[in-house]
Amino acid sequence: MQKKLIVGNWKMHPVTLAEAKKIVTAISAKTEKFKKVSPVIVPPAIYLEHFGRQKSRIVDFGAQDAFWETEGAFTGEVSAAMLAKLGIKYVIIGHSERREMGETSQIANKKVKAVLKAGMTPILCVGERAREDDHSYHHYIEAELRASLVGIKKADLKKLVVAYEPVWAIGTKAAREATPAESLEMSIFIRKILSDMFGAEAAKKVRMLYGGSVNTKNAEAFLADGGVDGVLVGRESRIAQKFVQILYSAEHLS
Ligand code: PGA
């Protein structure tokens, strides 16, 4: 059985490396004996130089974004190639907070390709802003998927992770939590689109995550009934004890 992928997106927290180290140490200490989970911590890029080189077997590290060119006159950007050199395994692409700042699916597509080329695993985020009564959010998700995955090779699908993150369920301003049933419905829908695009065999290999207000109380239900291979956790991933509890739920899933 494949390990559950539990990803902690720290966003733009914490402010110092010392604080970041403290959280990583506390999580690693409790995670050592887990066999059925793959924990991934995704801190701000500035801390990756430190954590990426640690070669810790306990948790993997990821980046929150990556630029598609290897190097050049691109002020402020960090390339996928640079991150790969640090030992980073995963890169979140197209998070809704980046899309809010202007990132399009066309940009996400270039980034997915660059991350794959650099030998890392892209975690492509898709999700509707709101749920209209006429179900048009299905078209929205389909369009995001199709545009973000243009030109991806079938053979690369086994390295791809797709995270369904309904924007209305993310963060402290969330309208409400999504339900495992909603996650299940969308995971079936997403796999159907992937299957239309790449064929059923290749589509099966894509790992899927649910993200948006995942916490210690609902993680187990999403993992058990949400039709996903793991979860993408925001706020609660920065509180070591809570993230460990979520990892524990995944480890002890029957
Ligand atoms: P949240 O964030 O868990 O704080 O809602 C999730 C995310 O944005 O990935």
Side-chain angles (χ1 to χ4, degrees), residues 128 131 135 137-138 164 166 168 176-190 208 210 218-228:
E128 76 281 2
R131 286 217 161 179
H135 286 249
Y137 60 90
H138 284 108
Y164 170 59
W168 49 265
R176 65 170 173 88
E177 283 181 14
T179 63
E182 285 167 327
S183 165
L184 176 63
E185 186 231 328
M186 289 312 285
S187 76
I188 293 168
F189 177 73
I190 288 169
M208 241 141 43
Y210 170 76
N218 64 22
E220 192 178 332
F222 278 113
L223 290 165
D225 305 321
V228 287

Side-chain angles (χ1 to χ4, degrees), residues 9 11 95 97 165 169-171 211-214 232-236:
N9 174 15
K11 309 190 177 184
H95 188 279
E97 286 152 15
E165 293 212 307
I170 295 177
S213 296
V214 173
L232 180 47
V233 189
R235 280 157 290 162
E236 298 223 335

Side-chain angles (χ1 to χ4, degrees), residues 42-71:
V42 189
I46 191 167
Y47 306 139
L48 288 173
E49 169 85 35
H50 174 81
F51 292 122
R53 292 190 192 285
Q54 271 191 334
K55 299 276 170 274
S56 148
R57 293 270 173 271
I58 303 170
V59 294
D60 283 320
F61 289 91
Q64 297 173 17
D65 188 26
F67 197 67
W68 58 87
E69 296 285 354
T70 304
E71 61 180 313

